[in-house]
Amino acid sequence: MLISKNFLILNLMIPIFGILVLLFIPFHKTKLLKIVALNSTCLSFSCSLLLWGFFEKSSASFQFVNELLWLPSFNLSFVIGIDGISLFFILLTTLLIPLCLLTSWNNIITNLKEFLISFLFLNFFLVGTFCVLDLLFFYIFFESVLVPMFVIIGI
């Protein structure tokens, strides 16, 4: 159960690892940039499928709950977990992001690296929005979705 409890954290962190890898790839290696971004999003979708596989449908409580005390003096903590509804939103998000990358595979020529990094940030923020259980962090993740969307629409 300990391994399956960390699938949600892994699903949240896979796009960040993909962004870190993309930052070290030169701009002119467009094929490698696309492959790294697509593999990162497909890995995130695979992790979402594992979440679905380990999800206990008979339980009405939040599952895969992880808590990190952030500022204990202000009673602020970073808490993530999912229920049945957020599970399917996470599955839908992690399915649509690779499909969006595939549909734009040959269309985006300029600012490709920024485009791909924006999609990975969008993946991170959307999964965070659907799994965070704290109101402050929900607001931060929800509003942060607007920044990569602005960049994607602009490119």
Side-chain angles (χ1 to χ4, degrees):
M1 185 62 182
L2 183 62
I3 294 173
S4 64
K5 185 178 180 180
N6 293 326
F7 282 144
L8 190 56
I9 293 173
L10 184 64
N11 197 0
L12 196 59
M13 295 312 294
I14 286 172
I16 299 299
F17 293 138
I19 290 169
L20 291 175
V21 172
L22 284 178
L23 288 175
F24 292 106
I25 298 175
F27 287 99
H28 60 87
K29 296 190 177 189
T30 58
K31 188 79 167 173
L32 184 60
L33 287 168
K34 292 176 184 179
I35 289 173
V36 167
L38 184 64
N39 284 337
S40 177
T41 56
C42 288
L43 190 61
S44 182
F45 177 63
S46 301
C47 192
S48 298
L49 290 176
L50 288 173
L51 279 173
W52 189 22
F54 284 104
F55 190 78
E56 294 179 23
K57 293 148 190 74
S58 61
S59 176
S61 62
F62 287 104
Q63 298 179 31
F64 308 105
V65 176
N66 289 297
E67 182 175 2
L68 173 68
L69 287 175
W70 187 44
L71 293 172
S73 60
F74 293 112
N75 198 18
L76 289 176
S77 58
F78 181 72
V79 184
I80 57 173
I82 57 172
D83 59 354
I85 295 172
S86 61
L87 171 68
F88 286 107
F89 279 132
I90 290 172
L91 279 168
L92 183 64
T93 298
T94 56
L95 172 67
L96 288 177
I97 297 289
L99 291 178
C100 290
L101 288 179
L102 285 173
T103 56
S104 65
W105 193 262
N106 294 325
N107 297 336
I108 305 298
I109 298 168
T110 60
N111 299 327
L112 177 67
K113 191 172 188 177
E114 292 83 2
F115 181 77
L116 297 174
I117 288 173
S118 295
F119 259 108
L120 291 177
F121 268 124
L122 184 67
N123 190 3
F124 170 73
F125 289 134
L126 283 172
V127 170
T129 299
F130 295 132
C131 73
V132 74
L133 301 178
D134 184 52
L135 185 61
L136 174 69
F137 284 105
F138 172 77
Y139 178 74
I140 291 170
F141 277 105
F142 185 76
E143 291 297 323
S144 297
V145 167
L146 296 175
V147 176
M149 283 302 296
F150 180 75
V151 174
I152 290 168
I153 291 169
I155 294 175

